Amino acid sequence: AFALWGRGMAVLDVVSSQALEGGGHASLPRSEYKQLLLEQEKPRNPCWICASRCCRCCCSVCLSLVLASLPVLFLCRFRFAQRENLSAALVPYLDGRLTLNWWNLPQQRTAEQLEACRNSLSDVHDLYGMQYGTHPGKDAVEVLYRCTHVPELAARVPWQLRGVFWMKGNGMGEELATLQFGQWFPETRTYVAPQAPFSWAWAKTAPRGA
């Protein structure tokens, strides 16, 4: 008898034992040999079959994702170069400061202008260290424009950013915003509009039926 690895060992053992009992060489008919193979064959575990298929599927998906991400990584690495930090680029033009606030702008609103704007509000109250007031909605656009308009600054504001914007569909509470009270830096082609009084407006109540 020969020692073989696998399921054929049991079949050879049966054939060799029959040969020894008969005192010589013995052979099995093909039909009986196939029957012995079927008897020795054990059904595979369904869990093992499922696990192997899942493993092959996961490997295929991972390989596809890696191949699909190669063009994106290539574009990010070579096409989109890292841009200069705009904030750092403005530092040389801030007269030694590291920040730009509305009170640092080269031109300011006049005291009379701010006083008139404040007097146009009602129900003025303090909240989180700032003052808030209300104004009828029909005139709110005009108030925001008038109270943030400085002719010297507005003349240099890019035309796309001038005026008052209605933020229709905004998920937050802001309804109106104006960006015209800011500073244009021609050296870096950058416009900065710091948050300033009268530059934002929120709806206090919703109109009837809204």
Side-chain angles (χ1 to χ4, degrees), residues 93-193:
Y93 309 103
L94 297 181
D95 299 330
R97 303 187 311 272
L98 296 179
T99 60
L100 177 62
N101 301 296
W102 66 267
W103 55 86
N104 300 138
L105 296 175
Q107 286 82 29
Q108 293 290 323
R109 294 168 289 190
T110 64
E112 295 79 8
Q113 182 182 7
L114 289 176
E115 183 66 19
C117 292
R118 190 180 187 283
N119 292 336
S120 67
L121 301 178
S122 60
D123 188 26
V124 178
H125 58 280
D126 294 332
L127 183 65
Y128 303 117
M130 295 183 289
Q131 286 188 335
Y132 292 83
T134 60
H135 194 279
K138 63 183 181 68
D139 300 326
V141 173
E142 190 272 334
V143 171
L144 261 66
Y145 181 85
R146 175 168 47 86
C147 297
T148 58
H149 183 76
V150 178
E152 296 84 355
L153 297 177
R156 292 188 288 269
V157 176
W159 67 267
Q160 299 91 335
L161 303 178
R162 297 179 182 179
V164 179
F165 295 89
W166 173 35
M167 293 182 285
K168 180 181 179 181
N170 186 14
M172 304 300 291
E174 297 89 347
E175 292 290 338
L176 300 175
T178 178
L179 305 173
Q180 63 183 0
F181 188 55
Q183 184 174 354
W184 169 253
F185 294 88
E187 299 84 359
T188 60
R189 296 185 57 82
T190 305
Y191 180 73
V192 180

Side-chain angles (χ1 to χ4, degrees), residues 53-68:
R53 291 178 178 175
C54 290
C55 182
R56 288 195 296 268
C57 181
C58 291
C59 291
S60 301
V61 172
C62 292
L63 181 60
S64 301
L65 292 176
V66 171
L67 294 177

